Amino acid sequence: MTGHPTRAAEFIALPQRAAWHDQSLWFVRAKRDKAAKAIPEWESLRDAAAAIKAHTVANLADYLEEFERNAKKLGAVVHWARDAAEHNAIVLKILSDHNVKRVVKSKSMLTEECHLNPHLEAAGIEVVDTDLGERIVQLANERPSHIVLPCIHKKKEEIGELFHEHLGTDAGASDPQYLTEAARGHLRDRFLKAGAGLTGVNFAIAETGGFVVCTNEGNADLGVSLPPIHIACMGIEKLIPKAAELGVFLRLLARSATGQAITTYSSHFHGPRAGCELHIVLVDNGRSTVLGQDDFRRSLNCIRCGACMNTCPVYRRSGGHSYNATVPGPIGSILEPARDPAKHASLPHACSLCGSCSDVCPVKINIHEQLLIWRRELVKKGLLPLTKRWAMSIGSAVLQRPWLYQMVGGMGRMALKLLPRFLVYSRLNPWGKQRELPTPPKQSFRDQFKARHGK
Amino acid sequence: MSNMVGDFGTTGNVSRLSLLATFSIATGNAPPLTRARDLPGFGGSTSFVHRSTSPIPSSGRPSIVPRVGLFIPCYIDQMYPDVGFATVEVLERLGVTVEFPEAQTCCGQPMANTGCTEAAAPLARRFVEIFEPYDAVVCPSGSCVAMVRAHYHEYFHHDPRYDALRPKVFELCEYLVDVLKVDKLPVRFPHKVGLHQSCHGLRELRLGSSSETIVAPFNKAKQLLELIDGLELVDPARPDECCGFGGTFAVSEEAVSCLMGHDRIADHLQAGAEVMTATDMSCLMHLDGLIRRDKQPLRCMHIAELLAGRPV
Ligand code: SF4
């Protein structure tokens, strides 16, 4: 099985890559700390955000209908998609009905989740991701390795090479300013030619029927301001009841994501521009199932800020691609197994249970606890390797019998002492690959305690 | 324009209605949403402590002598007996007599953390049976105490026996700080020490404030180390990053685990630490294994050993 451990080890084996990746993301985490500390009421904001989300999710059906009503009043067309296939079909139909051949798309994890790009491309439609990071991974034919910083795994030299190949920049050029300018020129052309603009949705507001898209590059705004059609795709959990609550989330989102006080653009959309069309696609794709699960419902709070990735000591050292998933990192290790437990069985174990993600999460998802619960689910589904399950059953059987435990413990200590080094540190012992085992004492604590206390 | 208002997608009303029906069913069946997981909040569960059983009233002598049960995790019992004895000594010096119930073995955490709850359940039940007669249970491991306090609910749905025991189980430092209110320690340790913040103690027992949360900083282990004469605490650049032990994670994700450990060691070394300490011996077992393999100039000692005045 080539799960997370194998891919992580491959990433770590690349010279200096993991250290660099770790430091880049720790830098973002440190910026987040500074931004969060500047807000004395940070923890109350987190509480408020979690409470608003819990309330919304508990009344989701009502709020969705309210949103639909109000969005329609504003002149938007609202579509409902049960799953990824329906979502893709809806988007394709809108585009084909209008004979659109070129589309610009700002960042949307939902369309990644639904694999929209290949679906449209197969129908002969050109999709250009306009977020710079997303465009880079798109040119490299990769998936984003991070939900906020899609190409954080790439060094600027690699981006230079990629741009040289695809955009004709000078060979060997890696100056970020130069490369960004080149990308801008290239994207401007695509913006002008596009027949429709696709965006994600960060927050949709039930009481107004409007929604908000947050970007730092303004690419969403440009992408929907030029073409006559705007298609906004959103997971049904993106809803909040009232416009007044938006402030709670906008304050948390940018600070958690990048340490900015607010994203450069927080664009509000209320219905189509004059003479244009606005389509909103509401997508379930498994969310209503999660909604019905006590243990995992809170994962629907996620505002996709990426803070849990930046803080995760495993993610930082193994890279986003090691998760082999649309959403990597801690929250991805909960969301992805929910979609395909067998494929993602190694993800809930790609975690040392340090709990940093739960403490950093702006909407207070108990991420590390849910990962632990996923491990239990994997056992129930028969997805934990048998050897591990047996080891745990045998361990438990021994530990339920103090006499047996003492005997096994004594034998273990003795064996460690007597066995030759090459046997103890064989390839069968992953502990010993880079680590020494502890030096075993002659007697256990209990033996000595008994002797000392004369019992 | 009129066709733009209303459904005209391929899915139409059928899927929309069934979608809404799913929600109603899902939400209808759902118990309260904000299910508190009963993680001990900031400051641990000190409020549950029965004052009458506090062994050291202001007079300095125990009024009612409580029965304190010593919980020594299995790996400490087998591999690090001196950590157990250091714990006993610290407590005895403060006037607490401990009992070691010999039937104890393991809290079940290795099984639980692998998801093998059926294998963990009998160990959890044994634990409660063995320790319920005590007024307090003290353990030199934040991780094992976190298992009992934060993760046993699964095995004891509202069982009054567990509910009664739960607030009486303490990690050593929190027992010293919250219950015994220790404010001096007659020991000397003239060395530069780096405190590794073991994660479960930090983020599940809240032995200290984590660097992610924006709260008034506090730290029980640090508070105790500061009482030791001559001990100089050094500050690693990353105050509370995980060491990468993580139980079976140490073996199943060997590459990541060891890199995490190496990074922690490097951080403590650059901060000038001669000794690395922690509230959990499991973190130190992993770190010490790396340190000894690489022959680094750093010693690992459990915090109980420092509090007991053990030399380097
Ligand atoms: S789980 Fe929390 S921290 Fe992670 S991306 Fe979602 S909101 Fe951000």
Side-chain angles (χ1 to χ4, degrees):
Chain A
M1 196 181 81
T2 55
H4 184 272
T6 314
R7 292 187 294 264
E10 284 165 9
F11 185 76
I12 288 171
L14 300 170
Q16 287 308 310
R17 180 67 57 146
W20 167 79
H21 192 261
D22 165 62
Q23 279 151 20
S24 312
L25 287 161
W26 183 261
F27 177 76
V28 183
R29 156 78 209 270
K31 271 179 72 188
R32 170 265 173 207
D33 288 355
K34 223 174 135 207
K37 275 205 187 89
I39 305 237
E41 69 275 27
W42 183 258
E43 296 301 327
S44 327
L45 269 183
R46 292 175 75 220
D47 287 334
I52 295 166
K53 281 286 185 181
H55 167 83
T56 316
V57 161
N59 300 283
L60 194 55
D62 293 340
Y63 282 124
L64 279 169
E65 286 191 316
E66 187 185 343
F67 174 75
E68 182 190 33
R69 264 195 318 272
N70 291 325
K72 280 179 172 175
K73 268 189 221 151
L74 293 171
V77 187
V78 179
H79 309 261
W80 299 77
R82 196 195 319 254
D83 53 26
E86 280 192 9
H87 163 265
N88 294 349
I90 289 168
V91 175
L92 180 58
K93 180 155 193 317
I94 300 169
L95 296 175
S96 354
D97 283 353
H98 295 74
N99 204 20
V100 173
K101 286 286 168 224
R102 292 162 184 266
V103 172
V104 282
K105 179 160 84 67
S106 71
K107 189 142 78 215
S108 148
M109 288 316 294
L110 177 72
T111 57
E112 291 287 338
E113 170 190 323
C114 296
H115 304 292
L116 177 67
N117 287 17
H119 185 79
L120 297 182
E121 282 156 6
I125 294 173
E126 181 199 66
V127 190
V128 174
D129 285 314
T130 57
D131 173 274
L132 179 57
E134 293 244 311
R135 185 63 183 148
I136 292 168
V137 291
Q138 192 183 26
L139 289 176
N141 207 6
E142 291 173 3
R143 59 157 53 132
S145 70
H146 187 289
I147 60 175
V148 173
L149 313 159
C151 69
I152 187 71
H153 60 290
K154 280 208 180 308
K155 296 200 171 189
K156 58 182 196 291
E157 291 76 19
E158 293 167 287
I159 297 167
E161 269 173 47
L162 200 65
F163 279 18
H164 173 62
E165 186 188 328
H166 291 274
L167 311 183
T169 53
D170 298 342
S174 66
D175 173 50
Q177 186 64 33
Y178 169 73
L179 295 177
T180 310
E181 286 302 328
R184 258 196 198 174
H186 154 78
L187 284 172
R188 185 152 306 147
D189 173 59
R190 299 302 195 276
F191 277 123
L192 289 168
K193 285 184 182 147
L198 258 73
T199 68
V201 168
N202 288 91
F203 306 101
I205 299 145
E207 87 176 332
T208 65
F211 60 90
V212 177
V213 180
C214 304
T215 69
N216 273 330
E217 299 167 17
N219 56 313
D221 306 77
L222 196 54
V224 302
S225 300
L226 294 171
I229 301 167
H230 175 183
I231 305 173
C233 306
M234 61 175 271
I236 47 174
E237 84 285 14
K238 293 287 167 205
L239 219 55
I240 57 171
K242 293 191 168 42
E245 289 149 353
L246 193 57
V248 173
F249 293 97
L250 290 181
R251 294 181 81 196
L252 287 168
L253 175 63
R255 286 183 172 87
S256 299
T258 56
Q260 292 165 274
I262 191 146
T263 41
T264 314
Y265 299 86
S266 305
S267 307
H268 298 242
F269 296 94
H270 291 102
R273 284 183 291 128
C276 300
E277 291 185 18
L278 171 63
H279 296 265
I280 301 170
V281 189
L282 297 167
V283 185
D284 180 349
N285 204 27
R287 287 162 176 78
S288 54
T289 313
V290 175
L291 179 61
Q293 297 167 339
D294 289 350
D295 285 332
F296 300 115
R297 185 175 304 119
R298 271 161 79 183
S299 67
L300 294 175
N301 288 10
C302 179
I303 57 172
R304 304 287 192 269
C305 72
C308 57
M309 285 152 221
N310 305 340
T311 206
C312 177
V314 178
Y315 174 90
R316 272 188 270 112
R317 289 173 181 81
S318 59
H321 288 158
S322 65
Y323 293 80
N324 193 25
T326 304
V327 181
I331 188 66
S333 302
I334 296 168
L335 299 176
E336 302 288 345
R339 293 200 190 106
D340 188 344
K343 179 178 171 205
H344 299 294
S346 67
L347 298 192
H349 291 275
C351 163
S352 61
L353 296 173
C354 76
S356 179
C357 48
S358 305
D359 272 6
V360 92
C361 176
V363 285
K364 296 192 97 163
I365 302 172
N366 54 338
I367 306 174
H368 77 289
E369 290 177 340
Q370 294 196 23
L371 287 169
L372 188 53
I373 299 169
W374 252 113
R375 295 183 185 183
R376 185 186 73 197
E377 294 300 304
L378 291 174
V379 172
K380 281 192 199 151
K381 292 181 197 301
L383 290 169
L384 185 76
L386 262 186
T387 45
K388 265 197 191 174
R389 256 189 292 164
W390 283 338
M392 290 304 155
S393 304
I394 294 167
S396 174
V398 171
L399 290 163
Q400 287 173 57
R401 297 164 181 81
W403 63 269
L404 185 57
Y405 156 78
Q406 278 185 71
M407 198 173 85
V408 172
M411 282 173 3
R413 286 199 310 276
M414 184 111 75
L416 266 186
K417 234 182 214 137
L418 299 180
L419 286 176
R421 193 173 165 90
F422 76 89
L423 265 187
V424 176
Y425 291 92
S426 75
R427 278 201 321 196
L428 296 174
N429 170 13
W431 178 276
K433 202 171 153 200
Q434 302 181 61
R435 284 169 292 218
E436 293 296 300
L437 284 155
T439 319
K442 271 206 191 71
Q443 278 188 308
S444 65
F445 172 81
R446 64 184 61 219
D447 290 338
Q448 297 180 53
F449 190 87
K450 227 188 315 192
R452 285 196 205 180
H453 288 70
K455 274 192 266 166
Chain B
M1 284 293 283
S2 64
N3 69 336
M4 287 170 54
V5 188
D7 295 304
F8 82 88
T10 51
T11 48
N13 278 325
V14 179
S15 73
R16 173 180 162 277
L17 285 176
S18 62
L19 185 66
L20 286 173
T22 327
F23 293 146
S24 319
I25 292 163
T27 43
N29 284 346
L33 283 157
T34 46
R35 195 177 107 190
R37 296 283 301 186
D38 286 4
L39 278 177
F42 297 112
S45 54
T46 52
S47 56
F48 298 108
V49 174
H50 306 298
R51 288 283 144 228
S52 64
T53 64
S54 180
I56 305 229
S58 42
S59 69
R61 294 301 316 156
S63 50
I64 306 162
V65 179
R67 279 188 80 191
V68 175
L70 184 62
F71 163 32
I72 296 293
C74 47
Y75 68 96
I76 292 187
D77 176 31
Q78 292 298 323
M79 299 310 282
Y80 299 102
D82 192 53
V83 173
F85 284 108
T87 306
V88 174
E89 277 171 44
V90 173
L91 291 168
E92 283 181 346
R93 258 185 226 153
L94 291 160
V96 181
T97 319
V98 294
E99 292 177 39
F100 178 80
E102 270 187 55
Q104 66 175 288
T105 55
C106 169
C107 61
Q109 184 174 194
M111 294 78 199
N113 284 2
T114 323
C116 299
T117 43
E118 276 175 33
L123 297 173
R125 282 196 294 274
R126 287 188 86 243
F127 184 94
V128 172
E129 273 161 28
I130 292 164
F131 284 104
E132 66 178 348
Y134 294 93
D135 299 312
V137 180
V138 181
C139 168
S141 160
S143 191
C144 299
V145 172
M147 170 69 189
V148 175
R149 281 227 305 255
H151 299 284
Y152 265 18
H153 286 282
E154 174 153 2
Y155 313 103
F156 303 93
H157 302 280
H158 303 296
D159 181 333
R161 289 169 74 190
Y162 167 61
D163 292 346
L165 176 65
R166 183 175 172 270
K168 297 190 292 185
V169 183
F170 296 94
E171 184 278 334
L172 174 64
C173 293
E174 72 181 343
Y175 190 71
L176 298 181
V177 170
D178 295 339
V179 181
L180 301 190
K181 314 253 183 257
V182 169
D183 56 10
K184 34 183 187 305
L185 280 169
V187 293
R188 189 171 155 70
F189 194 76
H191 300 284
K192 289 187 172 177
V193 173
L195 172 63
H196 170 67
Q197 314 265 12
S198 297
C199 299
H200 292 167
L202 186 72
R203 297 198 185 81
E204 296 207 307
L205 298 181
R206 300 289 177 199
L207 297 182
S209 49
S210 70
S211 62
E212 298 88 11
T213 48
I214 313 299
V215 295
F218 68 97
N219 194 298
K220 294 174 192 178
K222 230 179 217 170
Q223 204 178 317
L224 291 169
L225 290 174
E226 278 162 356
L227 299 176
I228 298 177
D229 185 31
L231 186 147
E232 187 187 331
L233 271 170
V234 302
D235 288 318
R238 298 186 186 181
D240 51 16
E241 194 174 33
C242 177
C243 69
F245 171 68
T248 52
F249 176 86
V251 173
S252 64
E253 288 269 6
E254 189 268 346
V256 184
S257 167
C258 289
L259 184 54
M260 285 165 71
H262 278 134
D263 287 352
R264 279 304 67 225
I265 292 162
D267 195 1
H268 281 257
L269 278 173
Q270 68 75 29
E274 301 160 55
V275 173
M276 223 171 155
T277 192
T279 50
D280 264 294
M281 204 57 221
S282 48
C283 308
L284 294 174
M285 171 170 78
H286 158 69
L287 293 167
D288 188 54
L290 294 166
I291 289 169
R292 284 192 292 132
R293 176 65 62 87
D294 300 342
K295 304 198 167 44
Q296 297 274 18
L298 195 57
R299 274 287 313 273
C300 289
M301 291 174 78
H302 189 274
I303 194 163
E305 299 178 285
L306 301 192
L307 300 176
R310 294 276 194 278
V312 169

